[in-house]
Coordinates of all heavy atoms in Angstrom, one line a residue:
H141 N 13.9 -23.2 103.0 CA 15.2 -23.1 103.6 C 15.1 -23.4 105.1 O 14.3 -22.9 105.8 CB 15.7 -21.6 103.4 CG 17.1 -21.4 103.8 ND1 17.4 -20.5 104.9 CD2 18.2 -21.9 103.4 CE1 18.7 -20.5 105.0 NE2 19.3 -21.3 104.1
I142 N 16.0 -24.3 105.5 CA 15.9 -24.9 106.9 C 17.1 -24.7 107.7 O 18.3 -25.0 107.2 CB 15.6 -26.4 106.8 CG1 14.3 -26.7 106.0 CG2 15.6 -27.1 108.2 CD1 13.1 -26.3 106.6
D143 N 17.0 -24.2 108.9 CA 18.0 -24.1 109.9 C 18.0 -25.5 110.6 O 17.0 -25.9 111.3 CB 17.7 -23.0 110.9 CG 18.8 -22.9 112.0 OD1 19.5 -23.9 112.2 OD2 18.8 -21.9 112.7
R144 N 19.1 -26.3 110.4 CA 19.1 -27.6 110.9 C 19.1 -27.7 112.4 O 18.9 -28.7 113.0 CB 20.3 -28.4 110.3 CG 20.1 -28.7 108.8 CD 21.2 -29.5 108.3 NE 22.5 -28.8 108.5 CZ 23.6 -29.2 108.0 NH1 23.7 -30.3 107.2 NH2 24.7 -28.6 108.2
S145 N 19.5 -26.6 113.1 CA 19.5 -26.7 114.6 C 18.1 -26.8 115.2 O 18.0 -27.2 116.3 CB 20.2 -25.4 115.2 OG 19.5 -24.3 115.0
G146 N 17.1 -26.5 114.4 CA 15.7 -26.6 114.9 C 15.1 -28.0 114.8 O 14.8 -28.6 115.9
P147 N 15.0 -28.6 113.7 CA 15.0 -27.8 112.4 C 13.8 -26.9 112.3 O 12.7 -27.2 112.9 CB 15.0 -29.0 111.4 CG 14.3 -30.1 112.1 CD 14.6 -30.0 113.6
R148 N 14.0 -25.8 111.6 CA 12.9 -24.9 111.4 C 13.2 -24.1 110.2 O 14.3 -23.9 109.7 CB 12.7 -23.9 112.6 CG 13.9 -23.0 112.9 CD 13.8 -22.2 114.1 NE 15.0 -21.5 114.4 CZ 16.0 -22.0 115.1 NH1 16.0 -23.2 115.5 NH2 17.1 -21.3 115.3
V149 N 12.1 -23.6 109.6 CA 12.2 -22.7 108.4 C 12.9 -21.4 108.8 O 12.6 -20.8 109.8 CB 10.8 -22.5 107.8 CG1 10.9 -21.6 106.5 CG2 10.1 -23.8 107.4
A150 N 13.8 -21.0 107.9 CA 14.6 -19.8 108.3 C 14.8 -18.9 107.0 O 14.8 -19.5 105.9 CB 16.0 -20.3 108.8
P151 N 15.0 -17.6 107.2 CA 15.3 -16.8 106.1 C 16.6 -17.1 105.4 O 17.5 -17.6 106.0 CB 15.4 -15.4 106.7 CG 14.8 -15.5 108.1 CD 15.0 -16.9 108.5
Y152 N 16.6 -16.8 104.1 CA 17.9 -17.0 103.3 C 18.9 -15.9 103.7 O 18.5 -14.8 104.0 CB 17.6 -16.9 101.8 CG 16.7 -17.9 101.2 CD1 15.5 -17.4 100.7 CD2 17.0 -19.2 101.2 CE1 14.6 -18.4 100.1 CE2 16.2 -20.1 100.6 CZ 14.9 -19.7 100.0 OH 14.1 -20.6 99.5
P153 N 20.2 -16.2 103.8 CA 21.2 -15.2 104.0 C 21.3 -14.3 102.8 O 20.9 -14.7 101.7 CB 22.4 -16.0 104.3 CG 22.3 -17.3 103.6 CD 20.8 -17.6 103.7
P154 N 21.9 -13.1 102.9 CA 21.9 -12.2 101.8 C 22.6 -12.7 100.5 O 22.1 -12.5 99.4 CB 22.8 -11.0 102.3 CG 22.5 -11.1 103.8 CD 22.4 -12.5 104.1
Q155 N 23.7 -13.5 100.6 CA 24.3 -14.1 99.4 C 23.5 -15.0 98.7 O 23.5 -15.1 97.4 CB 25.7 -14.7 99.8 CG 25.6 -16.0 100.5 CD 25.5 -15.9 102.0 OE1 25.2 -14.9 102.6 NE2 25.9 -17.0 102.7
I156 N 22.6 -15.7 99.4 CA 21.7 -16.7 98.7 C 20.5 -15.9 98.1 O 20.1 -16.2 97.0 CB 21.1 -17.7 99.7 CG1 22.3 -18.6 100.2 CG2 20.0 -18.6 99.1 CD1 22.9 -19.5 99.2
V157 N 20.0 -14.9 98.8 CA 19.0 -14.0 98.3 C 19.4 -13.4 96.9 O 18.6 -13.4 96.0 CB 18.6 -12.9 99.3 CG1 17.7 -11.8 98.6 CG2 17.9 -13.4 100.5
E158 N 20.6 -13.0 96.8 CA 21.1 -12.4 95.6 C 21.1 -13.4 94.4 O 20.7 -13.1 93.3 CB 22.5 -11.9 95.8 CG 22.6 -10.6 96.6 CD 24.1 -10.2 96.9 OE1 25.0 -10.6 96.1 OE2 24.2 -9.4 97.8
K159 N 21.5 -14.6 94.7 CA 21.6 -15.7 93.7 C 20.2 -16.1 93.3 O 20.0 -16.3 92.1 CB 22.4 -16.9 94.2 CG 23.9 -16.6 94.3 CD 24.7 -17.7 94.9 CE 26.1 -17.3 95.0 NZ 26.9 -18.4 95.6
I160 N 19.3 -16.2 94.2 CA 17.9 -16.6 93.9 C 17.3 -15.5 93.1 O 16.6 -15.8 92.1 CB 17.1 -16.8 95.2 CG1 17.5 -18.1 95.9 CG2 15.6 -16.9 94.9 CD1 16.9 -18.4 97.2
A161 N 17.5 -14.2 93.4 CA 17.0 -13.1 92.7 C 17.5 -13.1 91.2 O 16.7 -12.8 90.3 CB 17.3 -11.8 93.4

Side-chain angles (χ1 to χ4, degrees):
H141 185 242
I142 302 295
D143 179 342
R144 290 185 302 190
S145 69
R148 64 184 172 276
V149 181
Y152 298 116
Q155 73 273 19
I156 297 293
V157 169
E158 289 175 18
K159 290 177 181 179
I160 290 173

